[in-house]
Amino acid sequence: MSVLRAIILGAGYRGRAYAEYAKDHPDQLEIVGVADPVQAQSIPAKRYWNDWRECLESHPEADVVMVTMPDNLHYEPSLMALKAGYHLLLEKPIAPTEEQCREVIECALEQKRLVVVGHILRYTAYFAHIKALIDSGELGEVVSISHQESAGFWKVAHSYVRGNWANSKKSSPIILAKCSHDFDLFVWWIGKKCKKVTSFGSIKLFRREMMPKGAALRCIDCPPAVERRCIWSARNMYVEHDELKYLFADRSDEAMLKLIEETEYGKCVYQADNDVPDHQTVTMEFEGGATVSHVMTGFTAQNIRTTRIALTRGEIVGDGENLDICRFDGNAVATGVPVNYRIPNRSRHGGGDFNLVSEMVRMLRRADPDEIRETTEQALQSHLICFAAERSRLAGGRIVEID
Ligand SMILES: NC(=O)c1ccc[n+]([C@@H]2O[C@H](COP(=O)([O-])OP(=O)(O)OC[C@H]3O[C@@H](n4cnc5c(N)ncnc54)[C@H](O)[C@@H]3O)[C@@H](O)[C@H]2O)c1
């Protein structure tokens, strides 16, 4: 079978993660071009451009465009690529506004192109196993789901207080940036559309009023007595510990020091440019009556998702790694782990990154128009829940119906 040719727009963390698949599977995927103003050459390819527009205007020969640039650079490149006939691997969010998301998906349906959105959770063995259990029908129908996204105190400070997704006007609301993954799972598991949403949430801690006395604008200038007691000290997070280094191409001590001296990642968490909630709760009602309650909070030691699913004939309880499955009639559960979801070693997100690319390759080789249309249509559903939740939160928890 022919090798799929892909172009990557944005050679950052996500672009590099998907490019790894081509290294491991050259018989399936070739990266033929990369556009990035700063680090294009970090991915091996035949051609390079400094900017996505320059790349697409040169009409390179390829099958797929991977849009892995910041959130505000998804909409225009995606539309341009679809109209030029490319399929898309599009990082979430599809776009920062509901209208733009709908326009991208409508354009893909008109052009009969596939849009695979970077909802990597459904491509992990753990979440795919839950899907297989529900689809087996052994436990009956889903009645309610209670799900917590424990975002991890360090991760929230990095991405949603200091970093790329801290300010909704510059990127998108946290419920879209962080939780579209979870809402995609609910839509996928229940297999129906969400009809009604309510939501509450706010910034509990990361506000100027909560700043310790004497704190400086940058951690590097903070009095040692204040900095020592600060859990979110940038020096502590980026120089002394390794948890966040995987996000950067250059992880040397010099690069990390420069990061906290010169970029937003060195700013005091109480004086950053953030406006997104550090905790948010969403309640949903789906067609057929199933309900979901979703809690996203930044005040947890681990970055993990925990789930309880109540079905008419049994229960699934997951701690993010292991599943506890119970049938009310006492019989053993027969469904095993789906064999096609192996976890390759170099794939992050529990194997989700590689499995997503592998699924995209499979779908494009198979070229079944129904599968392409259904996958593309379903990508929008999680985003519609996010926008409804944000409207509800801003209106003090009003019920918002999804059209
Ligand atoms: N699916 C997931 O789990 C997941 C995880 C993290 C991020 N994301 C999403 O992936 C996207 C990228 O995030 P990231 O963490 O890789 O960010 P990043 O900052 O590491 O990478 C973005 C890259 O885009 C490049 N870029 C900026 N302007 C450009 C232009 N005009 N032309 C070409 N390239 C340009 C930047 O130089 C950078 O290298 C975001 O939309 C983010 O929300 C998804």
Side-chain angles (χ1 to χ4, degrees):
M1 274 196 201
S2 61
V3 176
L4 212 69
R5 299 158 304 169
I7 284 165
I8 297 186
L9 307 180
Y13 160 54
R14 300 308 299 154
R16 290 195 301 273
Y18 295 131
E20 286 289 308
Y21 187 86
K23 269 197 218 161
D24 282 17
H25 301 278
D27 54 321
Q28 294 181 27
L29 183 71
E30 183 188 1
I31 309 302
V32 291
V34 182
D36 194 301
V38 189
Q39 46 189 359
Q41 309 269 349
S42 66
I43 299 174
K46 286 181 188 148
R47 289 185 71 181
Y48 294 101
W49 300 267
N50 282 323
D51 179 64
W52 69 267
R53 193 183 296 278
E54 204 187 302
C55 162
L56 292 182
E57 282 177 355
S58 72
H59 304 290
E61 272 200 31
D63 308 294
V64 182
V65 168
M66 298 187 180
V67 180
T68 48
M69 296 181 288
D71 297 4
N72 59 357
L73 289 178
H74 290 191
Y75 167 68
E76 212 190 333
S78 295
L79 277 184
M80 199 163 156
L82 287 168
K83 286 177 185 165
Y86 300 105
H87 298 283
L88 285 189
L89 190 171
L90 171 56
E91 254 314 340
K92 41 80 16 195
I94 297 169
T97 72
E98 181 171 339
E99 294 68 31
Q100 290 173 341
C101 289
R102 286 184 186 271
E103 203 182 331
V104 169
I105 296 301
E106 273 161 26
C107 177
L109 295 173
E110 266 168 38
Q111 301 286 329
K112 299 191 171 29
R113 300 290 94 182
L114 173 69
V115 178
V116 173
V117 172
H119 287 140
I120 35 82
L121 293 186
R122 61 157 77 193
Y123 301 99
T124 63
Y126 172 84
F127 289 113
H129 190 186
I130 296 179
K131 168 74 173 160
L133 278 165
I134 294 173
D135 283 358
S136 74
E138 277 191 71
L139 304 170
E141 275 186 53
V142 175
V143 178
S144 57
I145 299 177
S146 159
H147 181 86
Q148 172 155 325
E149 182 177 10
S150 302
F153 71 93
W154 75 99
K155 190 80 194 281
V156 164
H158 170 80
S159 297
Y160 302 99
V161 181
R162 293 181 166 121
N164 290 350
W165 299 277
N167 191 303
S168 58
K169 291 166 208 81
K170 294 179 188 161
S171 57
S172 43
I174 190 168
I175 203 72
L176 179 63
K178 186 106 195 83
C179 307
S180 73
H181 285 302
D182 304 85
F183 299 161
D184 178 60
L185 290 177
F186 309 147
V187 170
W188 187 49
W189 286 338
I190 297 173
K192 297 206 166 86
K193 287 184 177 164
C194 176
K195 302 301 290 173
K196 286 184 196 162
V197 173
T198 63
S199 181
F200 296 95
S202 61
I203 305 179
K204 174 84 179 145
L205 184 67
F206 301 109
R207 298 183 269 127
R208 274 183 177 65
E209 308 90 271
M210 309 300 275
M211 187 176 76
K213 209 162 173 255
L217 189 59
R218 284 194 166 273
C219 299
I220 204 113
D221 302 321
C222 208
V226 179
E227 194 199 358
R228 255 198 314 274
R229 288 177 51 79
C230 183
I231 298 165
W232 290 274
S233 146
R235 195 196 316 261
N236 183 29
M237 294 182 103
Y238 296 101
V239 184
E240 286 161 18
H241 288 92
D242 291 338
E243 279 91 347
L244 291 163
K245 288 187 181 162
Y246 74 92
L247 294 165
F248 302 96
D250 184 352
R251 298 160 199 175
S252 62
D253 286 352
E254 298 73 50
M256 289 294 132
L257 259 179
K258 201 163 175 238
L259 183 87
I260 66 166
E261 278 166 5
E262 295 177 9
T263 74
E264 66 275 23
Y265 295 114
K267 279 192 178 168
C268 171
V269 286
Y270 300 99
Q271 304 177 70
D273 185 26
N274 56 316
D275 72 353
V276 301
D278 50 25
H279 70 295
Q280 187 164 351
T281 296
V282 183
T283 314
M284 293 151 245
E285 186 181 55
F286 278 69
E287 280 170 349
T291 52
V292 179
S293 114
H294 171 83
V295 173
M296 183 285 298
T297 177
F299 300 95
T300 57
Q302 285 181 299
N303 177 17
I304 203 163
R305 290 170 162 94
T306 48
T307 315
R308 297 188 82 98
I309 306 180
L311 299 104
T312 50
R313 299 178 59 80
E315 195 180 10
I316 304 170
V317 180
D319 66 4
E321 286 178 2
N322 302 296
L323 294 173
D324 204 353
I325 302 149
C326 153
R327 269 176 69 142
F328 298 152
D329 61 12
N331 288 334
V333 174
T335 311
V337 179
V339 284
N340 55 335
Y341 283 94
R342 291 185 313 273
I343 302 179
N345 289 337
R346 293 193 305 113
S347 175
R348 291 198 72 90
H349 287 123
D353 290 354
F354 274 25
N355 285 335
L356 179 145
V357 182
S358 159
E359 262 300 273
M360 179 192 72
V361 172
R362 184 196 64 72
M363 280 192 265
L364 289 178
R365 281 179 163 179
R366 188 161 169 233
D368 173 353
D370 291 339
E371 188 180 37
I372 287 181
R373 195 192 60 250
E374 277 161 28
T375 306
T376 303
E377 271 173 355
Q378 205 180 76
L380 183 63
Q381 293 307 313
S382 63
H383 285 54
L384 295 183
I385 302 175
C386 296
F387 291 116
E390 187 61 357
R391 276 207 298 282
S392 171
R393 185 184 78 83
L394 294 174
R398 178 171 61 82
I399 294 175
V400 174
E401 301 209 5
I402 299 180
D403 185 0

